[in-house]
Amino acid sequence: MAEAIIKEEQPAIPVSFFSQKKFMLLWGVTFCSAFSIAIFLFSQSWYIVKTLNMEASLGMVMIASSIPRLLFMAVGGVIADRVSRTKILSVSNLTRSILLGGLLILLGSGEVSVYSFAVFGLVFGILDAFVWPANSALLPMLVEDSQLTRANSIIQTTQQASMIIGPMIGGFLVSWGGYLLSFSVPAVMLLCSAFLSRLINLKPASTDSSGAPGIFASIKEGFSFVKTQPFLIALFISTIFINLSVVGPLMMGLPIFVKTILHGSALDFSYMDGSMAAGMVVSSLVIGFLNVKRYRGMLATAALFSMAAALMLFSQTHFQAGCMAVLFLIGMTFPATNIPILSIFQQLVDRSMLGRLSGLLTMASLGLTPVSYAVTSFFLSNGVSITSIMFGGSCSLLLVNLIVLWKLPVFRKTS
């Protein structure tokens, strides 16, 4: 079974994927869906905080969307191997658009409550569990292996740009046309995304599902397969500890750091957050421009060590300009880690297993994010300072990186 990681020869594809209609359609799907979700999440958060005056309930809505992702992500990965991935994207985005249409009706009748948003979050989370593995597994079917790094860079740059620009657009829409407009625009964009997904129209990765094992047997098969591949073991370990050691302390701790250490304002927090996002965008653009094809494992390894070192430095930096500079560097390490690793992953894994393994990988990362938040909250509630939590997280990530480098050298040697 270990031999399955070497995929079958694919038909030749022209070198420039910009001339490939289906890749450009996928980029259009990514653009419409990423920006629509960013605008929706901003509008939802501001409505709950400003209009309903229930900021304490915002966490309930976020949990409602995160739990189904964790529960269904592995199942979504199996489905992505058996059903047309473009059909999954199309149906999911169409369903989201219809749901937002229902939200507009509730909004017009004045019946929207925080529980309405919790229900929408629950359904959106379930749909995400199917969309994300399908989307990750779709790209290698549209571009040649030599262009995977650049293609992933373009997709991730678009997603990261939506995180910066989307809330700005959402704020403008709320200010100019109110919530009816700010929720209508994402509904229309998701409808466009569903239409573009249908135009890609690719067949399922596995054309013969008559003898396929059951859902849970397929998930178990995916776990068993990971155990046979040293590169995948190292990938899963690194992904798990990035989320445990970095995501919680950094994402949850950043506003606390600004308030308690820098004694800054909300505007200062926005500058800090923007610095990290800018680093992500710049790094994605540079990697895409260079189209790194060799030493990608070494690049990802160096980025992981740089991430740990930068977080350690950030925890000990107590002036805003320095913090912004370090956050920019931290932001750069995320794409420098994710894009090379994802490109290797997509290139090596057989197309028929890419969906379920993408689902397991996403579950390993996103599933542990709430755990990281919980651990961070536990330490904070017991009097541990946010700087100590960040420093401890950087040390644990550094230790895990050293262990992976020592025990699983295939991670850095894979190109």
Side-chain angles (χ1 to χ4, degrees), residues 295-344:
Y295 308 113
R296 290 178 295 185
M298 184 66 74
L299 172 61
T301 302
L304 282 170
F305 279 101
S306 299
M307 183 187 299
L311 181 59
M312 187 180 296
L313 177 61
F314 178 79
S315 70
Q316 304 303 307
T317 305
H318 296 164
F319 63 101
Q320 184 167 332
C323 288
M324 289 175 63
V326 178
L327 280 173
F328 183 85
L329 294 176
I330 292 175
M332 291 191 70
T333 63
F334 281 103
T337 302
N338 294 338
I339 294 175
I341 286 178
L342 183 59
S343 301
I344 296 172

Side-chain angles (χ1 to χ4, degrees), residues 231 296-297 339-349 414-415:
F231 173 79
R296 290 178 295 185
I339 294 175
I341 286 178
L342 183 59
S343 301
I344 296 172
F345 175 78
Q346 292 169 335
Q347 182 176 337
L348 293 181
V349 175
T414 305
S415 60

Side-chain angles (χ1 to χ4, degrees), residues 242-356:
I242 286 175
N243 283 272
L244 280 176
S245 305
V246 177
V247 173
L250 188 59
M251 300 305 178
M252 183 178 173
L254 189 55
I256 301 172
F257 185 92
V258 172
K259 179 182 178 181
T260 60
I261 305 300
L262 300 182
H263 306 290
S265 63
L267 187 60
D268 295 322
F269 171 53
S270 68
Y271 291 152
M272 305 278 277
D273 208 25
S275 297
M276 186 165 61
M280 292 181 182
V281 172
V282 170
S283 179
S284 296
L285 290 173
V286 170
I287 293 173
F289 176 77
L290 295 176
N291 193 27
V292 180
K293 302 175 185 177
R294 300 180 62 190
Y295 308 113
R296 290 178 295 185
M298 184 66 74
L299 172 61
T301 302
L304 282 170
F305 279 101
S306 299
M307 183 187 299
L311 181 59
M312 187 180 296
L313 177 61
F314 178 79
S315 70
Q316 304 303 307
T317 305
H318 296 164
F319 63 101
Q320 184 167 332
C323 288
M324 289 175 63
V326 178
L327 280 173
F328 183 85
L329 294 176
I330 292 175
M332 291 191 70
T333 63
F334 281 103
T337 302
N338 294 338
I339 294 175
I341 286 178
L342 183 59
S343 301
I344 296 172
F345 175 78
Q346 292 169 335
Q347 182 176 337
L348 293 181
V349 175
D350 186 86
R351 301 293 189 258
S352 64
M353 293 190 69
L354 193 52
R356 81 190 80 170

